[in-house]
Amino acid sequence: MNTLILDCSAGMNIFLLKKDEEFKLIDTNQKRHTDTLLVSVNQLLEDAKMTIKEIDNICVCVGPGSFTGIRVAVSMAKGLSIGIGAKVFACSNFDIYSFGECEKSIYILDGFSDFVYVRIFDGKTSTDSCEHIGNFITKIKTDYADYKIYVQSEKVQNLLKNDEIVSNLVQNKTILCFKDKIERGEDINISSICPIYLRASQAEIERNKKLNGEN
């Protein structure tokens, strides 16, 4: 079974699994995925000496993260699936980062401006939200002192450290998470793929401000 994994929620991460071989391309530039995703996929196929028709599974990260990146990756996953008949699997960033975790944990992903995306896992159930980092740091101190904290980037880690909160950089579990979904047979219909944003886009925010007479 050959698998293509697309994650453009934060930069561009592409993985190509050819039986027991792994090919990958990691680009942290947040603005290049629109122009280079297809070219990069073709490059990995060439490296693996494969054609796109040999792909059995297409996996896509549906966010939260970059609005544009998520839409580009989801659109490509849908288009390729239709074209070659591959099965499609979808995971959120939170599913990936929390894969295998069973303890009380908080996952903090890069957001926009002073906001971050947060998953709170109490050991049984999880809650996802978009939070102001300053306000959420206070919540951690008062409400979640016994939780393990994972962050997506050094930027957020430094914010937490400045407030004397212990944190750990998240290890990417993208391949493990999607392999588990494939083994479980949890493929989905492409029409049911729903990007996870957790907030309105900046364009929507500005539009609503104008409609409400705000400067």
Side-chain angles (χ1 to χ4, degrees), residues 115-212:
F115 289 83
V116 289
Y117 300 114
V118 175
R119 166 168 285 186
I120 299 173
F121 177 63
D122 64 7
K124 295 181 179 179
T125 59
S126 59
T127 303
D128 301 339
S129 61
C130 181
E131 305 281 348
H132 185 280
I133 184 63
N135 296 338
F136 191 68
I137 286 174
T138 301
K139 285 185 182 180
I140 292 175
K141 291 179 176 179
T142 58
D143 301 338
Y144 305 108
D146 59 337
Y147 280 61
K148 293 170 62 177
I149 301 173
Y150 295 93
V151 298
Q152 185 181 36
S153 72
E154 188 174 354
K155 170 188 172 182
V156 177
Q157 185 184 33
N158 288 337
L159 286 171
L160 297 176
K161 280 185 176 180
N162 289 342
D163 286 79
E164 299 180 352
I165 298 174
V166 177
S167 62
N168 302 287
L169 285 172
V170 169
Q171 298 299 313
N172 197 313
K173 304 174 183 177
T174 304
I175 293 176
L176 291 176
C177 186
F178 278 114
K179 276 187 173 181
D180 183 67
K181 275 193 170 289
I182 292 170
E183 290 174 3
R184 293 172 181 270
E186 296 178 353
D187 55 300
I188 60 176
N189 188 292
I190 58 173
S191 62
S192 65
I193 298 178
C194 297
I196 299 173
Y197 296 133
L198 296 183
R199 70 175 181 94
S201 68
Q202 194 60 39
E204 291 176 292
I205 292 172
E206 295 301 324
R207 178 175 177 275
N208 289 334
K209 284 183 178 180
K210 290 181 179 179
L211 291 175
N212 294 327

